[in-house]
């Protein structure tokens, strides 16, 4: 992985017609991993930050199904922020990247498609521990 490759934008395939829009995502085809889990974050209170952590193994695609929010990503050398505000774009984030979800609007629904089942041991919650781990790699 290139050091500055913090995320990749995925254009989700969509079908617009007179009734509205439909987006579809297929495992291993539209995203670069097998889907093992989906979760979504909504009803955000006071624009509090969510998801401030990195994963050792898990890869993910973050989608904004409603409203908007920013995804801040860092790897200890580079940082970047991307605003998601349409369900037609997904943000692919590989393992080993620190990410935070910020400035969620009241109506925001953040959907995360994950390559792994929930495993608390796959998380790095502390940014200093994260920096130590990646700089020892
Ligand atoms: P947490 O990791 O704090 O959310 P965030 O991604 O915003 O940092 O998760 C909140 C709670 O939900 C916590 O008790 C763990 C639980 N949880 C599950 O049980 N399964 C899951 O797949 C996820 C993502 C969280």
């Amino acid at each position: 992985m290139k050091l500055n490759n913090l995320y990749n934008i995925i254009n989700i395939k969509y079908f617009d017609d007179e009734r509205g829009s439909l987006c579809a995502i297929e495992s291993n085809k539209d995203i670069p991993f097998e889907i093992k889990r989906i979760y979504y974050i909504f009803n955000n209170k006071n624009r509090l930050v969510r998801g401030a952590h990195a994963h050792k193994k898990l890869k993910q695609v973050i989608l904004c199904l409603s409203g908007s929010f920013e995804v801040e990503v860092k790897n200890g050398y580079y940082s970047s922020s991307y605003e998601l505000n349409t369900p037609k774009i997904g943000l692919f984030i590989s393992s080993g990247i620190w990410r935070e979800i910020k400035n969620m609007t009241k109506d925001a629904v953040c959907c995360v498609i994950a390559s792994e089942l929930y495993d608390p041991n796959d998380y790095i919650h502390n940014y200093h521990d994260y920096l130590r781990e990646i700089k020892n790699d």
Side-chain angles (χ1 to χ4, degrees):
M1 189 182 79
K2 283 193 218 121
L3 280 180
N4 59 353
N5 195 13
L6 294 165
Y7 61 78
N8 293 93
I9 293 165
I10 297 179
N11 291 303
I12 309 295
K13 69 176 176 245
Y14 64 90
F15 303 89
D16 287 349
D17 63 29
E18 64 284 357
R19 298 167 299 171
S21 303
L22 183 152
C23 283
I25 298 172
E26 290 179 90
S27 186
N28 273 328
K29 199 167 154 193
D30 300 305
I31 60 173
F33 56 80
E34 188 187 349
I35 298 170
K36 293 240 181 95
R37 179 168 54 106
I38 296 175
Y39 65 92
Y40 34 96
I41 297 167
F42 56 101
N43 196 22
N44 184 261
K45 305 272 198 304
N46 302 320
R47 302 222 168 198
L48 286 171
V49 173
R50 299 221 53 146
H53 58 247
H55 284 282
K56 297 173 194 169
K57 181 171 174 214
L58 178 147
K59 297 172 187 161
Q60 61 196 302
V61 171
I62 301 182
L63 300 164
C64 177
L65 301 187
S66 170
S68 70
F69 52 84
E70 284 163 40
V71 185
E72 191 175 300
V73 279
K74 306 183 204 180
N75 64 5
Y77 298 93
Y78 297 94
S79 67
S80 185
S81 185
Y82 190 90
E83 187 187 78
L84 281 174
N85 55 19
T86 167
K88 291 181 176 177
I89 298 262
L91 221 56
F92 170 75
I93 300 177
S94 199
S95 53
I97 306 286
W98 185 269
R99 50 66 147 197
E100 303 188 12
I101 295 161
K102 296 185 160 172
N103 281 323
M104 287 183 83
T105 56
K106 253 189 162 35
D107 57 343
V109 180
C110 168
C111 177
V112 181
I113 301 176
S115 67
E116 307 298 328
L117 300 179
Y118 179 61
D119 176 8
N121 294 319
D122 190 57
Y123 281 70
I124 306 170
H125 286 291
N126 179 288
Y127 190 63
H128 294 289
D129 293 344
Y130 167 73
L131 289 179
R132 205 175 314 123
E133 288 216 16
I134 53 163
K135 297 201 171 171
N136 283 340
D137 268 356

